[in-house]
Amino acid sequence: MNFVSKLMSSLRASLVTVCAALPLIGFAQAPAAVKLGVIGPFTGASSDFGKPLLQGIQLAVDEINAVGGYLGRPLELVVRDDQGTPDVGLKAAHELLDAGVVGTIGFCNTGVAQKSLEVFQNAKSPLIIPCATGTPLTSKYPAAESYIFRTSARDSIQAPFVVNDLVKRGWTKVAIFADTTGYGEAGLKDVEAALSAHQLRPVNVTRFPLGVTDLREQLKVARDAGANVVFSYTVGPENAAIANGRRDLGWKVPQVGAWPLSFPFFIDGAREAADGALMAQTFIAEPSNERRAAFLSAYARKWGGRMVVPMAAAQGYDAVYLFTYALLGIRDGKLGGPAMKTALENIPRVYYGVVATYERPFSKDDKDALTANMLVMGKVQGGGITFAYPEDARRNLIVQRKK
């Protein structure tokens, strides 16, 4: 029995347990669908990770519906495209709540998410963030009151993870290149804090707007300041502009960063200049164990082609299963926002996921499912992402639990 079969068997067993505890009422009519909101950048500049996010979510929903959904009620996705734009995302957030969703999985861009958090919090409607990593997203509200959950690795654990690697390698003269979005602003603060923990300061900090295509002059300043590594914090083609600028200047220093260095905008946009770049990863698309092999196989069967941002697909997939496991903790069928929040904070069963083994991933005091031990260092090599260290590949045979 492979991973997907085991997972579906586990869900069937959970459904049988829940159904046995319920009175037999209202089952003569076809059960109404459980509406799950999905919001992300499915068109526009950030669609390269929005699309695989949606594909991972849809794959999980199809699997769950195949074994009965929630008490025989299928999950139904209500999808809205935020186009990577804060105002569009805000409008879409309101539309999802108006559509009667019982929870939402969404947001890839920190700045887009920031503008909409209040909508979900005020409506007491749970939001699980599967991609956006800006640290402030899950710290905006007091944890005990917050309806904002996350299955991506926040920047306050990604930045120290990468900085620790830099120090180990002796790359301590750091130039930071961060965009002027909410993502770049939060990431810059996290990198500076991580450096400070090692009694280090960046030798140069460069800020730039989205859309910039030439950063060679700024790179010259960083080079002249004595930098021996460039830490970039941006999500789009600007990462490639940094790599291509270093190549044009003949400045052979490494480029490191958070997970956007695994995006096609960087790898395809910089080509050979991207090789060797290092970044934090929660999931690398290699069949390192049964769970991940089964997920990769199921994804390929359904969608075919290249999984362009594997982390987005895997984290979205896991978010759906966590949402469903929470649903199965609600035995009276009353799926109001406060009940859903409590259920997410008290998921009764371990979910053996693709990114992690989720045992009590959320609690009243902690809304982030991932911890630093789940990260590995990825490396761009030959147009793809692989493990930077052989020991990480070996460690990845065991899916990590939260610490």
Side-chain angles (χ1 to χ4, degrees):
M1 183 183 291
N2 65 24
F3 163 65
V4 173
S5 298
K6 291 176 182 176
L7 193 56
M8 294 171 80
S9 177
S10 175
L11 277 172
R12 286 192 190 98
S14 296
L15 284 165
V16 168
T17 301
V18 174
C19 288
L22 293 173
L24 296 175
I25 56 174
F27 288 109
Q29 298 178 341
V34 176
K35 293 182 179 180
L36 176 61
V38 179
I39 185 169
F42 308 127
T43 61
S46 294
S47 61
D48 59 343
F49 60 126
K51 289 178 180 177
L53 166 68
L54 182 57
Q55 290 173 335
I57 289 171
Q58 184 65 67
L59 176 61
V61 166
D62 289 351
E63 291 175 359
I64 291 163
N65 283 341
V67 296
Y70 168 67
L71 306 183
R73 299 171 61 182
L75 300 185
E76 177 187 318
L77 296 181
V78 182
V79 180
R80 293 293 183 272
D81 179 8
D82 65 32
Q83 301 172 27
T85 303
D87 288 336
V88 177
L90 181 62
K91 180 175 181 290
H94 283 292
E95 289 175 354
L96 289 176
L97 295 181
D98 290 344
V101 300
V102 300
T104 298
I105 296 174
F107 295 112
C108 287
N109 304 89
T110 294
V112 180
Q114 282 176 321
K115 190 152 189 175
S116 294
L117 294 184
E118 190 174 15
V119 174
F120 297 97
Q121 184 69 18
N122 288 347
K124 296 184 177 180
S125 182
L127 169 70
I128 300 180
I129 300 171
C131 278
T133 58
T135 300
L137 297 181
T138 45
S139 60
K140 181 172 182 179
Y141 305 106
E145 302 168 15
S146 181
Y147 281 75
I148 312 303
F149 300 78
R150 175 157 49 190
T151 59
S152 57
R154 66 186 185 277
D155 290 323
S156 62
I157 63 173
Q158 288 196 60
F161 179 78
V162 176
V163 167
N164 289 344
D165 188 68
L166 301 187
V167 172
K168 182 172 67 175
R169 293 170 181 263
W171 301 338
T172 56
K173 297 179 179 179
V174 182
I176 305 174
F177 278 65
D179 68 38
T180 52
T181 67
Y183 175 71
E185 181 68 25
L188 171 61
K189 291 178 180 177
D190 286 327
V191 175
E192 289 179 325
L195 288 170
S196 179
H198 291 276
Q199 290 76 51
L200 297 172
R201 297 181 62 184
V203 299
N204 173 262
V205 175
T206 296
R207 306 301 304 280
F208 54 87
L210 295 184
V212 67
T213 59
D214 187 348
L215 288 164
R216 285 175 293 184
E217 290 304 313
Q218 294 89 333
L219 287 163
K220 286 180 184 177
V221 173
R223 180 191 62 189
D224 294 345
N228 62 4
V229 62
V230 173
F231 200 130
S232 58
Y233 240 100
T234 187
V235 298
E238 298 78 18
N239 269 322
I242 294 168
N244 290 330
R246 289 189 299 103
R247 178 201 60 206
D248 293 345
L249 295 174
W251 188 29
K252 296 181 179 180
V253 296
Q255 184 171 343
V256 304
W259 73 302
L261 288 182
S262 66
F263 292 7
F265 269 136
F266 176 64
I267 297 173
D268 297 343
R271 297 186 182 275
E272 68 279 358
D275 264 9
L278 300 168
M279 78 298 294
Q281 296 278 277
T282 63
F283 173 77
I284 290 177
E286 296 183 10
S288 52
N289 57 52
E290 182 186 11
R291 296 187 215 174
R292 290 168 177 156
F295 168 70
L296 292 170
S297 177
Y299 184 98
R301 286 195 304 272
K302 183 169 182 63
W303 301 112
R306 173 188 177 193
M307 188 187 296
V308 292
V309 182
M311 277 178 60
Q315 289 169 182
Y317 179 90
D318 279 356
V320 175
Y321 271 98
L322 290 176
F323 180 88
T324 304
Y325 274 49
L327 280 174
L328 295 175
I330 301 176
R331 300 195 170 201
D332 60 4
K334 297 178 181 178
L335 307 181
M340 281 301 308
K341 173 180 178 293
T342 299
L344 283 164
E345 293 168 350
N346 296 278
I347 293 175
R349 296 176 67 103
V350 176
Y351 164 48
Y352 296 94
V354 175
V355 172
T357 295
Y358 300 91
E359 184 175 13
R360 293 298 300 273
F362 307 118
S363 70
K364 187 176 181 180
D365 299 316
D366 186 0
K367 300 301 191 287
D368 281 285
L370 301 191
T371 46
N373 62 299
M374 298 171 185
L375 296 175
V376 295
M377 191 65 71
K379 178 176 69 174
V380 179
Q381 181 174 295
I385 302 295
T386 189
F387 293 98
Y389 296 109
E391 56 266 33
D392 276 348
R394 292 191 293 270
R395 187 169 67 90
N396 216 43
L397 294 170
I398 300 172
V399 184
Q400 299 295 307
R401 293 176 184 246
K402 188 171 185 176
K403 290 185 178 178

